[in-house]
Amino acid sequence: MKKLLSGNEAIARGAFEAGVDIAAAYPGTPSTEILENVATYKEIYAEWSVNEKVAFEVAFGAAVGGKRSLAAMKHVGVNVASDALMTASYTGINAGMVLISADDPGMHSSQNEQDNRYYAKFAQVPMLEPSSSQEAKDFTKLALEISELFDTVVMIRMSTRICHGKGVVQLEDRVPYMKKDYTKEPAKYVMIPGHARKRHVIVKARNAKLKEYVENVPVNIIEKGSSDIGIITSGVSYAYAREALPDASFLKLGMTNPLPINKIKSFVQDHQTVYVVEELEPFMEEQIEAAGLKVFGKDVLPDVGELSPELIRERILGVKTDVPQNGELPGRPPVMCAGCPHRAVFNALRKHRTTVSGDIGCYTLSTLPPLNTMDSCLCMGASIGMAQGFIRSMDKRKADRVVSVLGDSTFIHSGIPSLVNAVYNQAKITVVILDNRITAMTGHQENPGSGKTLLGDDVKPFDFEAVSRAIGAGYVRTVDPIDGMELDRVIGEAIEYQGTAVVIAKRPCVLVEPNQFPGIMKIDKELCTECKLCLRVGCPSISIHDGMVTIDQNLCFGCSLCQQVCPQDAIHRITS
Amino acid sequence: MPNTKNILIVGVGGQGILLASELVAKVALSKGYDVKQSEVHGMAQRGGSVSSNVRYGDVVYSPTIARGEADVLLSFELLESLRWLEYLSPRGVAIVNTQRIDPMPVASGKAEYPKNIEEKLQQKSHALYIIDGQRLAEQAGHIKAVNVALLGVLSTILEFDEKVWQTAIKNRVPAKTVDINFKAFNLGREAVSRN
């Protein structure tokens, strides 16, 4: 049967067909839908782990234990998991394991566009790069075979367009995997120096064998065209280049670590001019040039952002696309939703003239006008650690008003050790945990705080207040952010507190519970003086037309934040 | 590829764009075409600008449409039709919903919503359909059916017959909304003959 599947759905299907039994992930765009889809196959145990390192370790443990497994994460998630990955390369596996890295060239929803192909080389593990949904499925199955053939984790490098792009996929049946026996083997699985030294030699021998294997692997294909232009490419870049250059010859590489250097050599010799078409870094180009071959790559193509057929056509064939310009248009940046419980917190933080050490989640949108609140956002969990640096380097006046802001899931992901560090090292900071009961930014995944697992089991919800107290924070309060007076008072107290303070702003995401408020808000035109203070709260349901401020009845959820800032008492709740 | 059909569907997060493009892709697949559909998730629910590429033909490689190569630009919002207009082929058709959604810079009074959008669309498209999707959806029975009403309009330009569209809609939307969606689809088709 043929079906239209996204690359992420196809990875899940591939895992299902290949007999994968255990899968783990932490949500992150563009990888999230992989585990959401794996979870629809009841044959597979699937979990949201608390972070990518744990997800990798769960999958790795399962593979060592004897069942096929998969771990999925976005590119920056692999940074978190890399500690485990680097040594898992030494130990090898027992049953097959595949690691999916979903890269985000163009940074559609990420803080950087690092090229994770280098991780495969760094960790010395084989890597496959699908260029379509069909390949995403096929390569998942192949990755597990290679994994077992060479006793190593295998990485699949996806990118946003492959993850979220849909294409036609031929479905097959699941072939259940015969569980392998686990036997205790400390020399292989206990990486003390004496064992690791021997394992590193084995890794090198494995690399040598992989270099032979990759020369003949069926996913590295030559598509014959003109001998004038030869293209060496992989992943989504193949799809773009194939479209842009219908007459060229292609060496399409499905497996890109290690590279099939001999195959590349003969391809280069057979063509007059050879281009390496790859998004982001010159990962293949540098290795090909190091082998003494003359190719073009980053001297004509960009090493930032996404490629496109248009760009390749222009840079390689010199054909410019002539399109009329529209002139400047008002941008449409994403905004915090109307009714979002986070908005109130940022309005309060702005009022208290705080320096906001921020983090990764929907609330990072508070950086944009009109809220303009966040000072920094680096990586998952960085808000609490950076705040501890801020207070030790900034002038006292500023240092006394440093606040870390991070979400419920981000706190659990990697905020907890940093809070321990703050308490231990006596940091006078305020940590605000925006607890909206869900991992919202990536599309509402369950987390320990929401008290549900990926497979739908009810569990005891993570208790942010109890954990903060147990860690030793001296001031810990939970507050409803919609209660503006109380929020204001608690944040004021926390900032004054001479130690580590934790404020948990707790209210469910409005998209998960849209009916949490009794009716919506309306402006009384008679009373409104057009002072525009309500516009400053940054709610997308409030707008101004010809001097008149209105609330869009279709967008408002009734959170009442605008009512709380209105000095004329001109905004009222209407219930109908 | 020369025989590939390119349809670009654009609008604002939350307008039902992803469902609309999924339906187009499924219709093309059911007729045996190779299909690629590409969009970017993540910000779709946060009121950002959203675009979805649907391409079908004998063999489709690239998931995205190049500027100047969209055969159809289907826009759910006026300003967004202008933002993505450079993707429309000079021989292309623009279908534009009359809804206006102010982006934050306009809503907060920092920027102006562009004027004379229809004129600009008129100049740069081979054919233009301006459709009041809201009104059609309300007539059909639910404001959320705007996307299917606009698909009704699109269906008159593409080669697939009504039945195929109806099957795709029926298989995808919640059972209790099938009638409303069929009605919206038909109102969209009728709107073209009046346009």
Side-chain angles (χ1 to χ4, degrees):
Chain A
M1 189 175 81
K2 279 185 174 176
K3 224 178 153 184
L4 201 62
L5 297 183
S6 71
N8 284 347
E9 290 169 323
I11 294 270
R13 180 73 199 186
F16 166 75
E17 291 178 6
V20 163
D21 282 310
I22 287 103
Y26 181 79
T29 313
S31 72
T32 312
E33 300 82 4
I34 297 172
L35 254 276
E36 287 181 325
N37 281 285
V38 166
T40 63
Y41 299 108
K42 60 180 188 311
E43 291 86 347
I44 306 177
Y45 167 79
E47 72 167 46
W48 290 131
S49 305
V50 296
N51 65 36
E52 293 86 352
K53 181 171 179 288
V54 177
F56 183 95
E57 290 157 352
V58 168
F60 180 65
V64 170
K67 289 187 174 178
R68 281 189 165 182
S69 71
L70 171 147
M73 54 202 66
K74 69 182 290 173
H75 60 331
V76 286
V78 180
N79 299 338
V80 179
S82 64
D83 201 4
L85 169 65
M86 297 304 290
T87 307
S89 167
Y90 281 30
T91 68
I93 42 79
N94 180 19
M97 171 174 170
V98 58
L99 164 67
I100 314 289
S101 166
D103 291 14
D104 190 15
M107 293 171 276
H108 296 282
S109 200
S110 300
Q111 66 269 40
N112 76 26
E113 56 178 349
Q114 67 186 48
D115 189 332
N116 273 11
R117 293 179 298 171
Y118 287 102
Y119 263 121
K121 199 164 168 50
F122 192 21
Q124 309 183 68
V125 297
M127 171 173 57
L128 303 174
E129 287 190 77
S131 69
S132 66
S133 292
Q134 179 69 54
E135 285 186 355
K137 195 197 79 162
D138 295 345
F139 287 15
T140 302
K141 297 164 87 169
L142 177 63
L144 288 157
E145 283 168 29
I146 296 174
S147 174
E148 283 156 13
L149 210 51
F150 291 92
D151 188 16
T152 175
V153 172
V154 174
M155 189 169 127
I156 290 184
R157 191 252 192 172
M158 301 278 279
S159 59
T160 302
R161 298 288 178 184
I162 301 298
C163 289
H164 287 168
K166 289 192 175 180
V168 184
V169 178
Q170 180 73 47
L171 303 189
E172 288 155 273
D173 292 331
R174 175 173 167 98
V175 179
Y177 181 72
M178 285 287 287
K179 183 188 178 326
K180 283 200 176 163
D181 288 336
Y182 167 75
T183 42
K184 186 163 175 164
E185 237 181 308
K188 188 169 188 289
Y189 296 118
V190 182
M191 282 302 94
I192 52 175
H195 295 165
R197 281 183 208 116
K198 292 184 185 115
R199 292 302 305 179
H200 195 190
V201 175
I202 293 171
V203 170
K204 294 299 175 189
R206 180 177 78 204
N207 286 348
K209 280 192 202 136
L210 276 162
K211 277 180 188 160
E212 283 171 32
Y213 173 84
V214 75
E215 293 291 345
N216 296 307
V217 71
V219 294
N220 291 339
I221 307 159
I222 292 176
E223 291 175 350
K224 268 243 155 286
S226 137
S227 60
D228 296 344
I229 298 182
I231 304 291
I232 300 171
T233 186
S234 65
V236 75
S237 303
Y238 164 77
Y240 296 145
R242 193 74 175 74
E243 177 99 14
L245 311 164
D247 302 326
S249 287
F250 279 80
L251 173 54
K252 178 197 178 302
L253 299 178
M255 184 164 172
T256 49
N257 195 55
L259 284 176
I261 285 295
N262 292 329
K263 197 165 194 151
I264 291 170
K265 254 182 204 159
S266 72
F267 183 79
V268 171
Q269 278 156 11
D270 289 347
H271 296 87
Q272 203 139 48
T273 314
V274 173
Y275 295 90
V276 180
V277 178
E278 55 190 328
E279 254 172 4
L280 301 176
E281 305 298 328
F283 174 78
M284 296 192 286
E285 184 188 350
E286 282 181 354
Q287 295 182 64
I288 293 166
E289 282 179 342
L293 301 168
K294 177 69 198 146
V295 290
F296 295 94
K298 293 303 168 188
D299 30 11
V300 287
L301 290 161
D303 55 5
V304 293
E306 291 187 286
L307 293 179
S308 67
E310 203 182 325
L311 195 61
I312 293 166
R313 212 153 37 208
E314 184 185 317
R315 300 291 176 86
I316 292 181
L317 299 180
V319 182
K320 260 200 136 116
T321 308
D322 196 22
V323 287
Q325 293 303 310
N326 277 324
E328 275 295 295
L329 294 174
R332 195 183 292 278
V335 289
M336 270 193 243
C337 308
C340 174
H342 301 335
R343 182 174 287 107
V345 174
F346 290 101
N347 275 280
L349 292 175
R350 185 167 59 183
K351 196 174 145 195
H352 283 279
R353 301 186 320 281
T354 52
T355 296
V356 177
S357 177
D359 225 301
I360 294 185
C362 295
Y363 44 89
T364 317
L365 294 169
S366 70
T367 307
L368 303 175
L371 286 170
N372 305 312
T373 323
M374 206 163 267
D375 284 76
S376 62
C377 166
L378 183 69
C379 64
M380 289 290 285
S383 58
I384 305 180
M386 279 186 71
Q388 294 167 55
F390 281 170
I391 60 162
R392 303 196 196 281
S393 68
M394 287 178 175
D395 297 341
K396 184 167 178 354
R397 197 173 45 86
K398 269 203 159 41
D400 280 346
R401 313 188 78 77
V402 171
V403 176
S404 305
V405 179
L406 77 175
D408 45 353
S409 191
T410 309
F411 178 74
I412 295 168
H413 176 284
S414 47
I416 296 172
S418 319
L419 182 60
V420 176
N421 194 67
V423 172
Y424 171 53
N425 289 301
Q426 306 163 71
K428 193 219 124 357
I429 57 167
T430 296
V431 175
V432 178
I433 300 170
L434 300 168
D435 179 14
N436 64 352
R437 323 297 302 146
I438 203 84
T439 309
M441 188 62 167
T442 43
H444 303 108
Q445 288 74 35
E446 301 78 7
N447 67 45
S450 59
K452 266 214 184 303
T453 68
L454 173 58
L455 296 179
D457 292 336
D458 290 309
V459 291
K460 185 171 184 279
F462 181 91
D463 187 335
F464 291 91
E465 195 170 317
V467 168
S468 302
R469 283 189 203 286
I471 285 173
Y475 179 97
V476 180
R477 296 285 183 282
T478 299
V479 62
D480 180 356
I482 291 309
D483 184 347
M485 301 263 278
E486 181 64 3
L487 176 70
D488 190 45
R489 191 184 67 77
V490 167
I491 285 185
E493 266 182 19
I495 292 170
E496 292 305 317
Y497 182 74
Q498 295 304 308
T500 307
V502 176
V503 175
I504 300 142
K506 182 174 174 180
R507 187 168 264 277
C509 172
V510 75
L511 296 182
V512 176
E513 285 187 31
N515 300 319
Q516 56 183 288
F517 303 107
I520 58 172
M521 312 311 294
K522 194 172 183 199
I523 297 176
D524 186 334
K525 301 234 155 32
E526 301 292 312
L527 297 174
C528 177
T529 58
E530 285 142 31
C531 71
K532 301 180 191 163
L533 275 178
C534 58
L535 282 172
R536 287 196 65 211
V537 307
C539 175
S541 74
I542 311 175
S543 62
I544 181 161
H545 288 291
D546 307 322
M548 181 111 84
V549 183
T550 52
I551 296 174
D552 187 327
Q553 313 275 294
N554 291 318
L555 293 177
C556 178
F557 284 94
C559 78
S560 82
L561 186 59
C562 52
Q563 182 184 33
Q564 293 175 33
V565 301
C566 179
Q568 303 299 327
D569 198 19
I571 303 179
H572 299 115
R573 191 182 293 281
I574 48 168
T575 44
S576 60
Chain B
M1 299 293 112
N3 67 346
T4 300
K5 200 98 171 158
N6 295 320
I7 297 157
L8 184 64
I9 307 180
V10 304
V12 178
Q15 285 192 301
I17 291 152
L18 305 189
L19 174 70
S21 67
E22 187 188 324
L23 286 171
V24 179
K26 282 189 168 156
V27 164
L29 175 68
S30 73
K31 294 313 261 179
Y33 283 111
D34 188 20
V35 185
K36 285 238 163 87
Q37 180 205 345
S38 176
E39 68 241 352
V40 173
H41 307 190
M43 295 293 176
Q45 273 178 316
R46 311 288 179 274
S49 170
V50 172
S51 69
S52 181
N53 301 258
V54 185
R55 313 189 67 218
Y56 62 88
D58 295 338
V59 187
V60 181
Y61 291 106
S62 172
T64 52
I65 299 167
R67 288 182 302 167
E69 291 186 7
D71 298 293
V72 182
L73 172 67
L74 171 57
S75 177
F76 283 46
E77 200 269 351
L78 283 169
L79 167 57
E80 293 309 308
S81 65
L82 216 49
R83 194 187 310 284
W84 296 94
L85 190 55
E86 60 182 17
Y87 282 80
L88 188 63
S89 146
R91 300 169 305 283
V93 180
I95 301 168
V96 178
N97 186 21
T98 52
Q99 192 179 6
R100 165 181 168 163
I101 301 174
D102 288 356
M104 190 49 87
V106 173
S108 60
K110 298 268 186 296
E112 290 245 343
Y113 198 91
K115 295 188 170 65
N116 311 324
I117 292 180
E118 260 183 63
E119 242 171 71
K120 287 174 191 158
L121 292 169
Q122 198 71 259
Q123 283 165 15
K124 288 172 189 168
S125 53
H126 178 70
L128 171 66
Y129 299 94
I130 300 276
I131 304 289
D132 187 346
Q134 264 60 22
R135 197 174 49 82
L136 299 180
E138 272 165 27
Q139 270 176 29
H142 201 287
I143 186 74
K144 283 258 173 207
V146 173
N147 54 0
V148 176
L150 293 173
L151 282 186
V153 180
L154 177 68
S155 71
T156 63
I157 297 164
L158 303 182
E159 62 196 88
F160 313 109
D161 63 330
E162 217 176 322
K163 281 248 158 50
V164 187
W165 287 96
Q166 280 170 346
T167 311
I169 293 168
K170 200 174 156 191
N171 290 340
R172 181 61 181 76
V173 304
K176 59 178 185 191
T177 69
V178 169
D179 287 344
I180 290 174
N181 279 300
F182 276 4
K183 206 168 166 197
F185 183 77
N186 287 333
L187 286 166
R189 287 179 74 87
E190 287 163 19
V192 176
S193 48
R194 285 199 312 271
N195 205 275

